Amino acid sequence: MSVITTHREGEVLVVVSDNPPVNALGAAVRDGLVAAMKEAAGDDGVKAVVIRCDGRTFFAGADITEFGNPNPNPNAVDLNTVINTIEASAKPVVAAIHGTALGGGLEVALGCHYRVAVPSAKLGLPEVKLGLIPGAGGTQRLPRVVGVEAALPMVTSGDPIPAKLGATIGLIDEIVGEDSLEADAVAFARSVIGMESHPVSSARADKIAGTDPGAFDAFRQANARRLRGFDAPEAAIKAVEIATSHPFSEGLPMERALFEPLLAGTQSAALRHLFFAERAANKIDDIPKDTPILPIAKVGVIGAGTMGGGITMNFLSAGIPVTMVEREQAPLDRGVATIRKNYENTAAKGRIKPEQVEQAMGLLTPSLNLEDLADCDLVIEAVFELMEIKKDVFGKLDAICKPGAILATNTSYLDVNEIAASTSRPEAVLGLHFFSPANVMRMLEVVRGAKTGASALATSMKLAKTIGKVAVVAGVCHGFIGNRILAARQTQGEAMLMEGILPARVDKVLTDFGFPMGPFQMADLAGLDIGWTKETSDPTRVRDVLVERDRRGQKTGAGFYDYAADRTRTESEEVNALILEFADKAGTRRNDVTDEEILERLLYPMINEAGLILEEGIAQRASDIDVMYVHGYGWPSYTGGPMFWASTTGLGKVVAGLEKHADKWPDLKISTLLKDKAAKGEGFA
Ligand code: 3HC
Ligand code: NAI
C-alpha cells in the first residue's frame, strides 16, 4: 500500500500521508506527494487540495535515517522538488496540521498556499538541533511569511512554537477544531476556491521589506553565549540574512550551499548520533515490551533539601500530587518556601502563568509523618547520603507503603542492593538519581539493583518521559555511571594543583573545549565540604585546607575562587598562593604543562573509566554514556558525548595518551575493551 493516498471531498482533493511513526518525509512520501499533486493538476474537477497526515503527527521532518546514507534512493524526487511542485500549483493547497510540523514538515507547509492547524499543534525548524539548517527552503520562506524577528529565534533555537503563536505571527491562517481537522481544512479550502490569487511564500516581500540590516548582528550578540561552539546557528542566521537581501531564486541554492557542509561535518554527525542515542537509551534490552507499566498517580518524596525540593517540582509541574516528608518543621517550611519561590521566579520571567504557581503548589502536601506515604505509588528518598539513615528509612517505608509501590533512592554513590535488602520487597527498589538542580537538569540515572523488577524499571523509564527527563539505566557500583566517570576527572584535576597548575587554567581548558564550567568551578558550585569531616580532614590536600578555612564554595562566598554577592567569580590570590606553596613543598611544581596535556589528562581517564563501565555491564551501551554526559554534566553536545568524541578522536590516540601520562595515575587500569577496540581501529559507535 502506498504511504500517500488521496480521496475526494467534492471539489477538494484530500492527500493523506500514513508513514508511521512520525510521517518522516522519506523517499516514498516525497514521490507520493508529487504524484498526488499531478493527480490534482490533471483533474478538472479538483479545485483545491488539502494535505494532511494520519497517525500522531503531521510530517515531523526529513527522514533522518537517510542522512549520511551513501545511497539514499537516488531515483526519488528531492524535497525541494516536492515543495516547489506544491507551491507552483495553480489550485490552492492547504496544509492541515496536527501534532508537530517540524523541519521538512514545516517546509512542506510553507510551500502550501495556506496553513490551518489544530490548537495543540506545534511548528518548528529543529534542524539546528541536528547540526543542520533547513535545507528545503525553510530559511528563505519562513522570514518571508513571518518576518525576520520571528524567524531568527525559530531557526537558531530549533524550539517549536505553539499553533496559537503561529497564528499571531502569520504562520497559521486559521486555528481549526481539535477533532475536526480534515472537515475544517476542507471547508477552509472551499472558501478560497475562486479567489483571484493565492499567497506564494517564496514570492512574498511584505514581511521582509525594510528589515534593519543591523538586526542580524544584534541577534548574534544577544545570543552569543547560548550559541557558543555550535556551527549551525550561525549558518542559519546567514541564510535568513540572505533571504532579506537576495531574490528567492538565488537564496534557495545559497541555503543549500550552507546546508551541505554542515551535513558532511562532524557536529551534525555528533548531534544526529545523540538524537538516536537518546531514543535508544530509553530501551532496556532484556525487558519484554509488554512489561506492565504501573500507574503513578501519587508520589512521595522524603527530604525537602536541595534535591527533595527539586525532585518534587518535577511531579507538581506534570500535574502529579506529591507528599513531601521531612523530619522537622523548619526544613520542611524552608523546602516548601523554596519550591514556591522557584515557581514565582519562573512566573516573573513570564515562563508560566501566575495561576500555574498556585496550581502546582495546590498539589503539594507537606508532612512530618512517613505514614502519610501509605497510598503513594512511588516514593523517592532524598535524605542525607548516609547508609544507616537510608536503611532506616527504607525499612520503615517497607512497613508503611502499599503493596506494588515503587521505592526509589536518590543516592549519589551508595549501594542500592544494600538499601533494597533493608526491605522485604527488593523487586520494588531502585535508584532514581536526579541531577542538581533537579527541576532543571534533564538527566535521570535509573539505577537497576540486582533484584529490581521489570515493572519497576519499565515504569520508571515511562515516568521519566512524563516529567520530561532523559533516562539512562545504570547498574550498581560506586557512583554508578555518571559520578564514577566524573571522579576520574576530579582526581586528575586535584593532581594538577599539586603541579602548581592553577584552577582558572584548568577550568579554562575545559570551557574552551565546550563545557559550561570546569572541575573547580563545578566543585565550588556543589560545595567543597561534600563528604568532608573535621576528623578526616587531610592537611596535605588543598581542597580540605580550603574547607578548614571555611572556603566551602559559592555558598560561603569563597572556594577555589572568590565570589561577590552577585556570584561574580574572580581568581583568589590566597588560594593560588596556597597551591603554589603546596606544589613547591612537595617538589612537584612544573612549568612545562601544555593545555593539550591538561585536556588529555582530564578527559582520557573518563573515557577509560567508561570503557571499564561497559566491560562490567554497568552501562547497557556506549551511547547511553554519551546521553548521560551531555544532559547531566554539560559535555558539549556538538562533539557527540565522550564515547562519540573518543571515537572521532581515535581510540588509538586515547590509549596512547593514557600510556604517555601513565606516571600521573599510578593505579590506572586501562580498559581491555578500550585497548581491543583501539587495536582493531574501531570506535564505540
Ligand atoms: N526521521 C526518522 N525517524 C524519526 C524522525 C525523523 N525525522 N523523527 C522521529 N523518528 C523516529 C524516532 O527515531 C523514533 O524511532 P524509534 O521508535 O525506533 O526509537 C520514533 O520516530 C518516534 O520518535 P520519538 O520517540 O521521538 O517520538 P515522540 O512522540 O517523543 O516525538 C517528534 C516525536 C517530536 C516528532 C520527535 O521524534 C522529533 O523531534 N523528531 C525529529 C524532528 C526533526 O528533527 N525534524 C527535522 C529533521 S531534519 C530536516 O527536516 C531537514 C530538512 O530541512 C531538509
Ligand atoms: P540536603 O542536606 O540538602 O537535604 C537532605 C534533607 O533530608 C534535609 O532537609 C534533612 O532534614 C532531610 N532528612 C534527613 N533525614 C531525614 C529523615 N530520616 N526523614 C526525613 N527527612 C530527612 O541534601 P541533598 O543535597 O538534597 O541530598 C539528598 C540526597 O540526594 C543524598 O543522598 C545525595 O547524595 C543525593 N544527591 C545530591 C545531589 C546534590 O547535588 N546535592 C545530586 C544528586 C544526588
Side-chain angles (χ1 to χ4, degrees):
M1 242 189 63
S2 169
V3 291
I4 299 287
T5 54
T6 57
H7 63 270
R8 284 282 287 276
E9 292 293 335
E11 294 172 302
V12 179
L13 183 75
V14 181
V15 180
V16 181
S17 169
D18 185 12
N19 184 31
V22 297
N23 282 302
L25 287 150
V29 175
R30 300 195 302 271
D31 285 347
L33 283 173
V34 170
M37 290 312 299
K38 267 196 194 136
E39 181 188 338
D43 186 339
D44 288 344
V46 172
K47 304 290 185 213
V49 180
V50 163
I51 299 179
R52 71 162 186 86
C53 293
D54 267 344
R56 62 208 232 208
T57 177
F58 192 75
F59 306 112
D63 186 338
I64 304 169
T65 59
E66 286 184 355
F67 292 159
N69 177 344
N71 184 18
N73 305 293
N75 297 322
V77 295
D78 64 40
L79 193 55
N80 271 311
T81 306
V82 176
I83 296 168
N84 292 340
T85 307
I86 293 171
E87 199 174 50
S89 165
K91 301 172 184 182
V93 185
V94 179
I97 301 169
H98 77 295
T100 43
L102 297 178
L106 184 58
E107 291 176 300
V108 168
L110 283 162
C112 296
H113 305 99
Y114 302 97
R115 290 157 292 279
V116 301
V118 300
S120 63
K122 289 194 167 141
L123 318 145
L125 291 172
E127 284 86 346
V128 283
K129 297 193 179 188
L130 300 170
L132 299 169
I133 62 167
T139 64
Q140 304 304 295
R141 286 189 180 89
L142 184 69
R144 286 178 161 87
V145 172
V146 304
V148 165
E149 198 186 332
L152 278 178
M154 284 182 76
V155 292
T156 55
S157 76
D159 294 335
I161 60 166
K164 253 196 182 158
L165 179 56
T168 311
I169 62 175
L171 185 53
I172 296 298
D173 296 289
E174 191 171 292
I175 302 281
V176 298
E178 192 68 54
D179 301 313
S180 52
L181 176 60
E182 180 173 316
D184 291 355
V186 167
F188 183 93
R190 283 202 185 107
S191 75
V192 297
I193 292 173
M195 282 192 175
E196 225 167 82
S197 66
H198 304 287
V200 171
S201 302
S202 67
R204 283 179 62 175
D206 51 316
K207 288 285 183 81
I208 48 173
T211 300
D212 169 15
F216 300 97
D217 273 344
F219 185 85
R220 282 183 179 99
Q221 261 172 27
N223 293 279
R225 219 175 126 213
R226 184 168 60 81
L227 306 180
R228 183 174 81 102
F230 290 88
D231 292 340
E234 172 54 27
I237 297 171
K238 272 195 192 128
V240 173
E241 209 168 356
I242 287 166
T244 65
S245 53
H246 291 71
F248 182 81
S249 58
E250 287 174 25
L252 196 62
M254 288 169 88
E255 175 193 79
R256 199 76 205 167
L258 288 163
F259 175 88
E260 294 289 354
L262 290 172
L263 180 60
T266 44
Q267 287 205 356
S268 176
L271 289 162
R272 279 180 278 132
H273 158 75
L274 282 172
F275 177 84
F276 290 110
E278 273 174 32
R279 279 145 188 87
N282 209 265
K283 301 186 173 85
I284 307 175
D285 292 338
D286 61 341
I287 285 193
K289 274 212 165 83
D290 56 356
T291 301
I293 304 289
L294 310 169
I296 304 291
K298 195 170 175 209
V299 172
V301 173
I302 311 175
T306 311
M307 294 306 288
I311 293 170
T312 296
M313 289 179 72
N314 284 291
F315 296 99
L316 300 180
S317 302
I320 301 173
V322 180
T323 301
M324 186 169 76
V325 181
E326 258 288 344
R327 46 181 191 153
E328 283 164 26
Q329 193 66 45
L332 184 63
D333 291 345
R334 251 196 325 269
V336 173
T338 305
I339 293 176
R340 173 172 281 282
K341 199 180 82 206
N342 283 341
Y343 277 125
E344 283 172 351
N345 286 345
T346 311
K349 287 180 196 147
R351 292 207 214 114
I352 55 170
K353 298 193 188 107
E355 58 265 31
Q356 286 174 287
V357 177
E358 298 314 321
Q359 255 165 31
M361 293 309 290
L363 293 169
L364 176 63
T365 310
S367 161
L368 292 174
N369 200 347
L370 277 181
E371 266 85 31
D372 290 342
L373 303 177
D375 62 343
C376 288
D377 304 299
L378 162 71
V379 176
I380 304 172
E381 164 278 310
V383 304
F384 301 135
E385 183 78 344
L386 287 168
M387 184 54 99
E388 286 322 306
I389 301 188
K390 304 241 186 221
K391 276 163 81 168
D392 177 56
V393 167
F394 273 77
K396 286 180 181 149
L397 287 178
D398 191 27
I400 291 168
C401 293
K402 67 180 184 186
I406 298 176
L407 308 182
T409 170
N410 184 50
T411 181
S412 308
Y413 293 96
L414 299 175
D415 184 343
V416 173
N417 293 331
E418 197 179 332
I419 294 173
S422 64
T423 73
S424 64
R425 43 173 133 175
E427 72 286 353
V429 178
L430 44 64
L432 288 180
H433 178 216
F434 289 78
F435 287 57
S436 182
N439 52 319
V440 177
M441 297 295 285
R442 282 190 69 210
M443 191 62 227
L444 179 66
E445 189 170 31
V446 177
V447 186
R448 179 181 190 173
K451 294 188 181 163
T452 304
S455 236
L457 262 177
T459 303
S460 299
M461 299 310 276
K462 171 90 193 312
L463 186 67
K465 264 195 139 182
T466 309
I467 59 172
K469 300 284 180 205
V470 181
V472 164
V473 179
V476 175
C477 64
H478 188 72
F480 319 118
I481 298 176
N483 284 335
R484 177 169 157 186
I485 292 176
L486 192 69
R489 187 181 90 179
Q490 297 298 102
T491 306
Q492 272 308 300
E494 286 200 28
M496 285 175 193
L497 300 182
M498 294 306 290
E499 292 165 37
I501 310 168
L502 300 176
R505 170 129 189 254
V506 176
D507 285 342
K508 182 169 186 305
V509 170
L510 274 205
T511 52
D512 285 350
F513 180 76
F515 279 92
M517 61 178 87
F520 298 107
Q521 290 159 357
M522 194 173 167
D524 275 358
L525 188 68
L528 304 190
D529 51 356
I530 295 181
W532 178 89
T533 61
K534 214 172 175 160
E535 297 72 42
T536 55
S537 188
D538 177 358
T540 66
R541 196 177 168 211
V542 173
R543 185 181 172 125
D544 286 14
V545 174
L546 295 186
V547 179
E548 282 169 23
R549 294 183 184 183
D550 207 33
R551 300 188 67 104
R552 290 167 190 255
Q554 280 197 26
K555 60 186 172 189
T556 54
F560 284 105
Y561 296 90
D562 289 333
Y563 295 90
D566 65 356
R567 296 201 183 171
T568 309
R569 184 182 60 240
T570 44
E571 281 194 64
S572 160
E573 280 178 29
E574 176 194 342
V575 175
N576 288 354
L578 179 80
I579 289 167
L580 295 178
E581 188 190 311
F582 265 56
D584 284 338
K585 229 192 256 167
T588 45
R589 182 159 170 184
R590 287 172 60 198
N591 295 313
D592 59 344
V593 182
T594 61
D595 286 355
E596 192 190 6
E597 177 180 333
I598 293 174
L599 192 71
E600 289 179 348
R601 283 174 57 190
L602 290 173
L603 300 191
Y604 289 176
M606 297 174 83
I607 308 303
N608 186 55
E609 201 63 41
L612 294 170
I613 277 173
L614 283 169
E615 270 170 58
E616 294 166 22
I618 297 292
Q620 290 194 92
R621 42 185 100 78
S623 63
D624 283 5
I625 298 171
D626 289 333
V627 171
M628 175 167 294
Y629 259 77
V630 166
H631 290 294
Y633 297 90
W635 189 292
S637 58
Y638 51 77
T639 69
M643 309 315 273
F644 190 87
W645 173 78
S647 304
T648 32
T649 299
L651 300 187
K653 190 171 171 212
V654 174
V655 171
L658 286 165
E659 286 164 348
K660 181 170 71 186
H661 303 299
D663 59 320
K664 305 298 180 314
W665 35 69
D667 301 327
L668 187 83
K669 176 182 161 213
I670 297 188
S671 151
T672 313
L673 180 73
L674 180 62
K675 271 199 292 201
D676 286 353
K677 282 193 173 293
K680 288 188 206 145
E682 289 176 4
F684 280 109

